[in-house]
Amino acid sequence: MPAGGALAVDRVKFSQLVTQKISEHKNIELVREKVNKIPADGICIIATGPLSAPELINSLSEKIGENYIAFFDAVAPVIAKESIDFNKAYVAGRYSQGDDYINCPLSKDEYLKFYNELVNAERALPHDFEKNLYFEGCMPIEVLADRGVDTMRYGPMKPVGLPDPKTGREPWAVVQLRQDNLEGSLYNIVGFQTGLKWGEQKRVFALIPGLENAEIMRYGVMHRNTSLNAPAVLDKYLRLKDFNNIFIAGQLTGVEGYMESTAMGLAAGINALNLLNNKELKPWPDESAIGSLIRYLNTASAKHFQPMNANLGIFPALDVKIKIKDKKLKARQIRDRAIEAAQKFWESI
Ligand SMILES: Cc1cc2nc3c(=O)[nH]c(=O)nc-3n(C[C@H](O)[C@H](O)[C@H](O)COP(=O)(O)OP(=O)(O)OC[C@H]3O[C@@H](n4cnc5c(N)ncnc54)[C@H](O)[C@@H]3O)c2cc1C
């Protein structure tokens, strides 16, 4: 269906086609049954999705512990580091503790402008089963702002202990960004989980000094989503680290999106078949789109893990002597390298 740069399909026709392909496939026996317990033995792939039935999730948590299962996304936007303006932003830890954060300082006027645009910005309406999802620890930034003009300054935007090196004084408010991937090419906006519509995120967060030209690699979302803390429990073949016969696929792995969920199904399926046939399991090359996603699932911080969609920021850095400034050229080089890596992988299996 026409959708500009996005891939859009007619949900009904698309799911009818997938159902038809599966039910007519000679090697697939389709059993329409609710599974409440993970089979005790044999190889299985669990791909029960963001709205997984609770009984099966209980069976899964018996194996990995409930701490490793999240039931909804409170996701903050992730920004490409190279799009941050370091003429305004500065690196510092609070009270000079380390230098793990990038800080964007706001004056009182800048803060009030940001506040007014934030509380009046358009929000994505939650589905019925997503109402009343929020709890204190991960309130959407716009819902926090609704509580009062200064609430954010005592929360995610508190300036204490973060003097701006240019003035030596603490700004009126500060937005902090924390490293999100191994390379340090992605940073997420701390405490900015949000349900704002994506266009509004781009517009409103560009009001933050230092983020005027921010490239948002993953937008914030707030929605019901059952997913695993992948870095803590999954290996590079998408198996549970302590249960080598249990593969996880789809959105449950900690990816976000249809393409990503399907890709994890493909990755898990290939290695489950290799295991069944006593063949060597094959990791996907990091340079490929699927491999870069699995690499993120394996190497992201388990303490701060949030589901991820495919984007240029999670690919390994290009091995180039001179940094490529032209974004389109860089994207083409990452794409060509990914296609080459994926082709080599296909030829090897
Ligand atoms: C409301 C909502 C809207 C979304 N919109 C988009 C979007 O527009 N674009 C996008 O890219 N992504 C979107 N996603 C995210 C995601 O891409 C999709 O959810 C995608 O369908 C995930 O694929 P999956 O195969 O992991 O799970 P699903 O497609 O959900 O498939 C899992 C299947 O397992 C079945 N199942 C669950 N528990 C059991 C059990 N115990 N026994 C047997 N079967 C079971 C379910 O009935 C379901 O048929 C959305 C997610 C949600 C929740």
Side-chain angles (χ1 to χ4, degrees), residues 278-289:
N278 293 320
K279 284 172 71 180
E280 183 206 350
L281 272 57
K282 295 240 184 232
W284 282 76
D286 294 350
E287 296 76 12
S288 66

Side-chain angles (χ1 to χ4, degrees), residues 11 33-35 47-53 56 127 129-130 223-224 250-252 256-258 261:
R11 287 173 192 262
E33 198 180 290
K34 185 176 169 193
V35 179
T48 45
L51 308 177
S52 291
L56 185 81
H127 295 87
F129 55 76
E130 291 171 330
H223 67 182
R224 168 96 168 66
Q251 182 118 339
L252 200 55
E256 180 82 40
Y258 289 126
S261 300

Side-chain angles (χ1 to χ4, degrees), residues 179-187 295-296 299-300 313-315:
Q179 182 174 338
D180 194 76
N181 68 339
L182 207 54
E183 259 112 344
S185 60
L186 297 178
Y187 275 68
R295 178 169 163 270
Y296 181 85
T299 60
I314 59 173
F315 283 85

